Amino acid sequence: MYSTTIVHYPGGEYPIHQGDGLLSRAGELTAELIRPGLAAIATNPAVGALYGDTLQRSLIGAGFAPVLCEIPEGETYKNLSTVAGLYEAFATAGLERSSPVIALGGGVVGDTAGFAAATYLRGLPLVQIPTTLLAMVDSSVGGKVGVDLSQGKNLVGAFKPPLAVIVDPAVLATLPAVEFRAGLAEVIKAGIIGAPALVEVLEGSGESLDWIIRQAIAVKVAVVEEDPYEQGRRAVLNLGHTFAHGFELLSGYRMRHGEAVSLGMVAATRLAVALGRCPPELAARVERLLARHGLPVHPPDFAPEDVWEAMAADKKRRGGRLRFVLPEAIGRVVVADDVPKEAVLETLADLQRSTSPCLSVPPIL
Ligand SMILES: NC(=O)c1ccc[n+]([C@@H]2O[C@H](COP(=O)([O-])OP(=O)(O)OC[C@H]3O[C@@H](n4cnc5c(N)ncnc54)[C@H](O)[C@@H]3O)[C@@H](O)[C@H]2O)c1
Ligand SMILES: [Zn+2]
């Protein structure tokens, strides 16, 4: 059993198939969309060792001739040298314009292989098979692909709508707990942006992981369909991320992205309270939810002015403005780029001072 969501974008659409065990049907799902022939599987050694065989067998069964193209493990290899390595591998294998690249892995594999697919021969079809929670609910949906430069993350990239996304939640069984938690931060983000029912489930219990992933994907799909090229509404997906980028930079990138996003959502919600945009109870609720899922709600001892500088430096590199996404209610957020610096500094100072969740509400568990 599996379900399919269709994502529309200007000039086309693509399916997101989701269901336990779908990895072993990736070949037939791909063959529904493209004539079988040569295909590249891009993965890293860890994911390849776990799931490469299943995918390869499935592709062969559907008539494809897969070639395995491994990229090194880790964010430090999400760069142009790795992309060049993939180009070489594609050329050696003799990939043609119609040969699909199948990205099997987390966001690093999806972004890197996706960028190689977007550019080799001016674009090959791309199938995303995300294997982390973050990649399932965030990076594999929406068409953004790209790599890092030494000057900053994701500075080179493209919009590359995939041919299909295949989500098999069963592969999460092998995902390390810290990676799972990091993905949960983005799931919670999706709930706060647009899915009150998802937040309620995460506050209690009763729904499967499959359902939770489906709800989070639905939020991302709705936002990217409204703003496929990131010109407006898509900014809401950056809830917690302005602060998070500052925290990450200040920690020398030792803080994990999901942890930074958790702290960033706490800060953003408290900022919304300070600006009179939402009631204090909302901040307490968000902090309790994050803490319940093992995510941090108290930032390390960073000076507010340093966090501000780090956020400003990050924004400058991306050529954007320092804007904050502010929750007004669960399921409703607004984008503000006129937030006074003093309010931000005061919120950060307040966050440093607090040693227990906002309003000292006891955790659920
Ligand atoms: N394109 C986008 O729109 C977008 C959105 C959000 C994030 N991103 C990018 O995503 C990247 C982060 O992705 P991530 O969090 O998936 O990290 P990741 O790709 O580094 O994967 C995390 C770790 O989990 C391992 N792993 C993956 N799947 C596994 C499995 N099923 N079982 C066991 N181990 C597994 C990986 O080998 C890796 O060590 C960042 O580079 C970020 O910039 C992109
Ligand atoms: Zn993120």
Side-chain angles (χ1 to χ4, degrees), residues 82-100:
T82 304
V83 172
L86 282 173
Y87 292 153
E88 296 282 340
F90 295 169
T92 306
L95 294 199
E96 295 170 0
R97 204 78 178 263
S98 60
S99 314

Side-chain angles (χ1 to χ4, degrees), residues 44 73 75 78 106-108 111 131-132 139 144 153 171 174:
N44 72 15
E73 155 83 38
E75 178 79 32
K78 192 178 125 172
V108 168
D111 279 11
T131 63
T132 64
S139 59
K144 284 207 294 180
K153 281 193 62 180
V171 304
T174 54

Side-chain angles (χ1 to χ4, degrees), residues 321-337:
R321 305 178 60 174
L322 206 49
R323 48 166 51 155
F324 295 88
V325 183
L326 305 173
E328 291 186 330
I330 296 296
R332 195 173 78 238
V333 298
V334 291
V335 179
D337 39 26

